[in-house]
Amino acid sequence: MKQKEIMLGNAAIARGAWEAGVKVSAAYPGTPSTEISENIVTYPEVYAEWSPNEKVAAEVAIGASIAGSRAMVSMKHVGLNVASDPLYSVSYIGVNAGLLFCVADDPGLYSSQNEQDTRLIGASSHVPVLEPSDSKEALDFTKFAFELSEKYDTPVILRTTTRLGHSQGTVELGERVVPKDKPYERNMKNIMMPASAKMRHPVVEAREIQLAKDACSLPVNRLEMADTSIGFITSGIAYQYVKEVFPEASVLKLGLVYPLPDDLLKDFASKVDRLIVFEELEPFIETYLKSLGIKCEGKELFTRQGEYSANMLREKLKDEKVDAKAANVPNRPPILCPGCPHRSTFYVLKKLGIHACGDIGCYTLGAVDPLNVVDTTVCMGASISMLHGMEKARGREFIKNWVAVIGDSTFMHTGINSLENMAYNRSSATVMILDNSTTGMTGHQDHAATGKTLDGTEVPAISIYKLCKAMNIEHVVEVDAFNTVELEKTVKEETAREELSVIIVCAPCALLKGQKFPYKVKAIPEKCKKCGMCLKPGCPAIKKRPDGTIEIDDTLCNGCGLCTQLCHFGALEKYEL
Amino acid sequence: MITKNIMIVGVGGQGTLLTSRILGGLMADAGYDVKISEVHGMAQRGGSVVTYVRYGDKVAEPIVEEGQADVLIAFERLEALRYAHFLKKEGVLIINDERIDPMPVVTGAAEYPGEIIETLKEKVTVYSIDAMAEAKKLGNQRVFNLVVLGMAARHMDFSKEDWIKVISEKVPKKTIDINIKAFETGYQS
């Protein structure tokens, strides 16, 4: 019997890749995909790296595949937008050794800026898409993806969702089998220029038609015939909800969600009285069924938004109302942690009445109460380029009380290009790089400016300061995030300057290992004048007592001391630990 | 066996992930099919977080839905109230009697509800404990979640020895003793 283990979906993908003999893995961290890399790096036989962004990571994997070794790249759904340039063209090239794109969608928006559906990108780039429905399949499908990739000479997408990647379930472990590296031969198909692309386009089309045919008998597409009064076509995590509520119904469970198997779909549809398509996000399978003239129900019953559940099926198809009412309670939105250096930065910006073009990271939380400094968030790196666009549209006067705020990891991801643009096209804006020495939001991953690689090896860190200077930006200043006096002075000076400037605001993330202030703060209630100054930055460790004076929650306080700088009456005091 | 449903709710950063690792290990050791669903990423930054643990002969979906939980373990009072409707009528609610103000309460936009435990007791079976105070007595407030888990363990189908075995495997080596003490404290109360 095979050895069994409980594994996170993302850990199972890493295990599957290891068992499939993957030699190279590249990624940029992004919830809900991050743990794939964090697990794959624990297998010493695999070279695994954090790349600066998803495009670079994809190209690293493509290079490895063309050189003859199995390779993979993993990312969150919006990361595929960044990597879509190589994806669309490597679809034409195909592979030498197996090539896998692991892409994690986020229905329900647990940690993302949109709910895009990767299956649509698979279809438009003509890349097959596999979708597992639990940890076991995550492992098995990852292995299968490499076979599929080599057999059909195509990259393959393994599409997961937050619920799949962040759920643990039982997997069956196998051995690692490393196929011999494929011989490298110079081949015109690896050179995508018009003449060769023209030759490859029909190959891509033929490949897809063939795979769609073969998909009718692929074991990942599973027919579970039972009661035929109702039949479901479903895939991924949605399949589990169907099994939960309709264990006796007939189900066509699709493991390969693109291309779809015409004959299998038609055959199944003809055998059931009522056909329901149960798929999260876009009506991808449903639209295809309708294009084949197959009658089915889907989005008229179930939403395009958020995650699905078993209760949705109970309600819509069994008319069972769930008798459970939620209490009306205050929300608990995510907040900046106690001791977070961004709180100090946003406090200063708010005091100065400054608006910020924001970016992707924990500091997006500068958009909400009580800070309300961040005005925009679009995608990685956009803070800098958008501020530039604002200035070009409305002039210097418009942006004189604006800055761009971007974290160190996001700056290294795609912020560099945007700053290059500002330097080149004569911006007069101020960019604040909030350097907390890590990729914070995704749980502390290193990058080129931290001086450590994915496996913890120390390497020379790229200096963000020198990088800015190399762009011929004259005014680049480094400031300690927790020195509010200095920070305020610097922001005033630099935003007043009619030239491009960069303020690098430094202080490590409060949750970073080894990062501990040697202090905590205590409140002295007799001195408290109930003025509320210390409450302004919204630190969760500071609480108001019923009499209006302040107390510090000792278990939460991180000792950053920001509040002691704000109290004019000495009612908050640092003490050494 | 019919699938059993457990939920752990709390505030991001309270250590719900460790608790679910212990539960998962316990159930896998007992030979059950187990599925656990967690929250990573942005919500972990002080937001409301929930972990679902399901075990039985064969588990399909990895989440617990409204009206389905056998045991709800709440690391904070307001979170107990937020998720109480996930409990079955005969379900058991374990509450760590602690208050952490969410931002709308801090800014004065909302009020922290009063008498949460009393209100909940009218509807379901509630056991509560000031786990932070107990953990402080033991000399390490960070083990408060094991105090809560100890209390919950009384209402689940596993022997104390099984719990202690899996706790010893899942917590950092240096902290095994204090974690077991914390568990015992909750179990006894």
Side-chain angles (χ1 to χ4, degrees):
Chain A
M1 209 178 89
K2 281 189 172 177
Q3 196 195 329
K4 290 186 177 179
E5 202 173 295
I6 295 188
M7 258 188 200
L8 201 63
N10 282 341
I13 292 170
R15 174 77 192 195
W18 176 80
E19 288 182 12
V22 161
K23 279 174 77 176
V24 172
S25 158
Y28 180 81
T31 313
S33 70
T34 314
E35 300 81 6
I36 299 172
S37 293
E38 290 180 329
N39 279 281
I40 211 162
V41 73
T42 63
Y43 300 102
E45 299 88 346
V46 183
Y47 168 78
E49 70 171 34
W50 290 132
S51 310
N53 62 44
E54 295 84 355
K55 175 184 184 296
V56 174
E59 291 152 358
V60 169
I62 293 168
S65 160
I66 287 182
S69 304
R70 287 186 169 183
M72 70 182 257
V73 51
S74 48
M75 62 200 74
K76 66 184 296 172
H77 59 329
V78 287
L80 187 58
N81 301 337
V82 180
S84 67
D85 197 359
L87 174 77
Y88 277 79
S89 294
V90 78
S91 170
Y92 278 37
I93 288 177
V95 303
N96 187 9
L99 174 63
L100 177 62
F101 283 66
C102 287
V103 188
D105 285 2
D106 190 17
L109 294 160
Y110 285 88
S111 208
S112 302
Q113 63 268 42
N114 73 32
E115 283 189 303
Q116 72 186 49
D117 189 330
T118 291
R119 298 176 300 172
L120 292 164
I121 299 181
S124 71
S125 61
H126 301 287
V127 172
V129 182
L130 286 165
E131 186 177 24
S133 67
D134 58 18
S135 291
K136 182 181 179 305
E137 285 188 352
L139 192 158
D140 298 344
F141 284 18
T142 302
K143 284 168 83 169
F144 177 63
F146 288 96
E147 290 171 33
L148 204 64
S149 169
E150 287 167 7
K151 183 169 176 195
Y152 291 90
D153 191 12
T154 176
V156 171
I157 292 173
L158 183 84
R159 181 229 190 186
T160 69
T161 59
T162 303
R163 192 55 71 191
L164 192 286
H166 289 168
S167 288
Q168 302 181 43
T170 314
V171 300
E172 287 177 9
L173 304 182
E175 296 297 318
R176 173 169 165 93
V177 179
V178 188
K180 243 180 98 180
D181 283 342
K182 303 262 196 275
Y184 172 77
E185 280 164 32
R186 187 169 190 274
N187 190 331
M188 284 311 283
K189 87 177 180 106
N190 295 335
I191 308 164
M192 268 312 113
M193 51 187 194
S196 48
K198 210 174 261 178
M199 294 195 354
R200 289 297 293 176
H201 199 170
V203 177
V204 170
E205 206 176 321
R207 164 183 90 196
E208 192 166 89
I209 291 167
Q210 186 60 47
L211 179 55
K213 244 186 222 160
D214 298 350
C216 294
S217 55
L218 280 182
V220 291
N221 290 335
R222 193 169 68 225
L223 206 51
E224 298 173 3
M225 288 311 294
D227 174 21
T228 53
S229 62
I230 188 164
F232 291 89
I233 298 182
T234 183
S235 72
I237 202 76
Y239 164 78
Q240 306 293 357
Y241 304 129
V242 171
K243 294 305 277 185
E244 193 72 38
V245 184
F246 289 94
E248 332 75 25
S250 293
V251 177
L252 173 55
K253 187 215 178 268
L254 296 171
L256 185 72
V257 289
Y258 185 81
L260 289 164
D262 289 10
D263 290 345
L264 194 57
L265 299 172
K266 285 179 194 160
D267 181 52
F268 183 74
S270 72
K271 286 178 179 156
V272 297
D273 303 335
R274 185 181 181 193
L275 181 60
I276 309 283
V277 184
F278 198 57
E279 55 182 331
E280 286 180 335
L281 300 180
E282 298 300 318
F284 183 78
I285 300 168
E286 181 187 344
T287 306
Y288 189 76
L289 285 171
K290 286 180 173 159
S291 79
L292 294 176
I294 297 172
K295 225 179 105 190
C296 60
E297 296 161 75
K299 294 299 169 190
E300 64 265 59
L301 295 170
F302 306 106
T303 172
R304 291 175 190 234
Q305 297 158 33
E307 280 193 293
Y308 279 9
S309 67
N311 277 349
M312 282 171 73
L313 287 165
R314 290 186 183 105
E315 211 168 284
K316 295 283 181 183
L317 298 176
K318 288 197 155 173
D319 213 19
E320 290 174 11
K321 264 268 180 241
V322 180
D323 180 30
K325 260 210 195 111
N328 187 15
V329 299
N331 282 336
R332 190 185 297 277
I335 48 171
L336 295 173
C337 303
C340 175
H342 302 326
R343 177 174 288 107
S344 178
T345 306
F346 287 129
Y347 165 76
V348 168
L349 293 179
K350 181 167 188 172
K351 186 178 171 198
L352 296 175
I354 284 182
H355 299 255
C357 283
D359 224 294
I360 306 288
C362 292
Y363 45 89
T364 311
L365 296 171
V368 295
D369 272 343
L371 299 160
N372 303 311
V373 168
V374 169
D375 278 27
T376 67
T377 301
V378 177
C379 63
M380 298 284 285
S383 58
I384 300 174
S385 1
M386 286 171 63
L387 183 58
H388 182 69
M390 286 181 171
E391 181 181 10
K392 295 305 171 191
R394 301 288 301 274
R396 163 79 206 160
E397 193 57 23
F398 184 84
I399 62 143
K400 69 173 195 216
N401 63 339
W402 280 75
V403 295
V405 293
I406 183 167
D408 47 328
S409 186
T410 309
F411 178 71
M412 298 304 286
H413 177 280
T414 33
I416 292 176
N417 314 55
S418 305
L419 188 62
E420 171 195 340
N421 184 46
M422 272 191 174
Y424 173 46
N425 286 310
R426 290 168 299 155
S427 163
S428 77
T430 298
V431 172
M432 295 177 74
I433 300 172
L434 313 184
D435 184 357
N436 65 356
S437 311
T438 191
T439 317
M441 174 69 78
T442 44
H444 303 118
Q445 290 75 30
D446 282 291
H447 56 74
T450 67
K452 258 192 195 164
T453 61
L454 172 55
D455 66 1
T457 308
E458 294 200 12
V459 290
I462 291 175
S463 158
I464 292 176
Y465 178 86
K466 285 188 193 162
L467 207 53
C468 298
K469 291 303 265 185
M471 294 184 196
N472 291 326
I473 302 171
E474 198 184 328
H475 309 284
V476 184
V477 199
E478 289 177 302
V479 194
D480 174 0
F482 288 111
N483 187 341
T484 52
V485 176
E486 189 62 27
L487 186 58
E488 185 177 330
K489 185 173 149 261
T490 309
V491 172
K492 272 189 191 159
E493 275 170 18
E494 298 306 327
T495 49
R497 194 191 295 282
E498 297 197 3
E499 268 177 276
L500 175 59
S501 60
V502 177
I503 306 171
I504 305 171
V505 189
C506 310
C509 168
L511 300 184
L512 209 54
K513 232 183 177 168
Q515 164 58 29
K516 263 218 152 95
F517 293 95
Y519 317 100
K520 285 217 179 207
V521 173
K522 63 177 177 197
I524 304 162
E526 317 75 89
K527 294 191 180 173
C528 179
K529 303 274 191 233
K530 308 176 189 178
C531 68
M533 268 306 285
C534 61
L535 290 170
K536 283 194 171 172
C539 175
I542 306 177
K543 289 176 182 170
K544 227 193 220 171
R545 292 175 212 259
D547 70 355
T549 62
I550 293 304
E551 68 178 330
I552 301 288
D553 184 332
D554 195 40
T555 59
L556 290 175
C557 176
N558 225 319
C560 75
L562 172 65
C563 57
T564 63
Q565 296 183 53
L566 307 183
C567 180
H568 300 307
F569 309 105
L572 291 163
E573 236 174 48
K574 271 192 201 175
Y575 64 95
E576 280 190 42
L577 288 175
Chain B
M1 190 192 100
I2 297 174
T3 300
K4 285 238 178 171
N5 300 320
I6 296 166
M7 284 173 71
I8 307 156
V9 301
V11 179
Q14 277 192 309
T16 49
L17 292 184
L18 169 69
T19 320
S20 68
R21 270 210 303 280
I22 292 172
L23 281 171
L26 184 74
M27 289 148 192
D29 285 354
Y32 291 116
D33 186 26
V34 185
K35 282 190 179 165
I36 301 172
S37 202
E38 311 168 339
V39 174
H40 299 217
M42 193 183 229
Q44 270 185 305
R45 303 281 170 262
S48 167
V49 291
V50 52
T51 302
Y52 308 101
V53 181
R54 306 189 76 219
Y55 65 103
D57 294 333
K58 177 84 191 125
V59 180
E61 64 168 321
I63 61 171
V64 179
E65 302 191 21
E66 290 91 337
Q68 308 272 347
D70 295 285
V71 180
L72 172 60
I73 304 169
F75 280 0
E76 199 267 353
R77 289 207 303 262
L78 180 62
E79 296 312 306
L81 186 57
R82 186 187 315 282
Y83 290 101
H85 65 293
F86 277 73
L87 271 172
K88 286 177 179 163
K89 286 199 174 71
E90 64 279 16
V92 177
L93 175 50
I94 310 292
I95 306 179
N96 173 30
D97 192 359
E98 192 189 351
R99 168 177 170 166
I100 301 176
D101 287 352
M103 200 41 70
V105 172
V106 173
T107 59
E111 251 182 66
Y112 195 98
E115 321 234 300
I116 289 177
I117 293 177
E118 293 71 16
T119 312
L120 288 170
K121 273 183 174 164
E122 287 167 18
K123 291 178 196 151
V124 286
T125 311
V126 177
Y127 297 92
S128 66
I129 187 167
D130 186 345
M132 199 57 91
E134 297 297 332
K136 274 185 190 161
K137 276 189 230 160
L138 294 171
N140 184 350
Q141 58 197 29
R142 288 173 61 185
V143 298
F144 81 95
N145 43 18
L146 266 288
V147 176
V148 183
L149 199 58
M151 184 174 235
R154 289 282 291 270
H155 306 282
M156 290 160 63
D157 320 315
F158 304 90
S159 75
K160 200 166 109 182
E161 291 68 38
D162 290 345
W163 280 96
I164 288 175
K165 180 174 164 279
V166 74
I167 291 167
S168 312
E169 288 164 9
K170 301 286 177 187
V171 303
K173 271 218 171 71
K174 276 189 258 170
T175 66
I176 292 177
D177 285 348
I178 184 137
N179 273 300
I180 289 175
K181 264 188 206 154
F183 177 83
E184 293 267 12
T185 306
Y187 199 85
Q188 290 340 323
S189 52

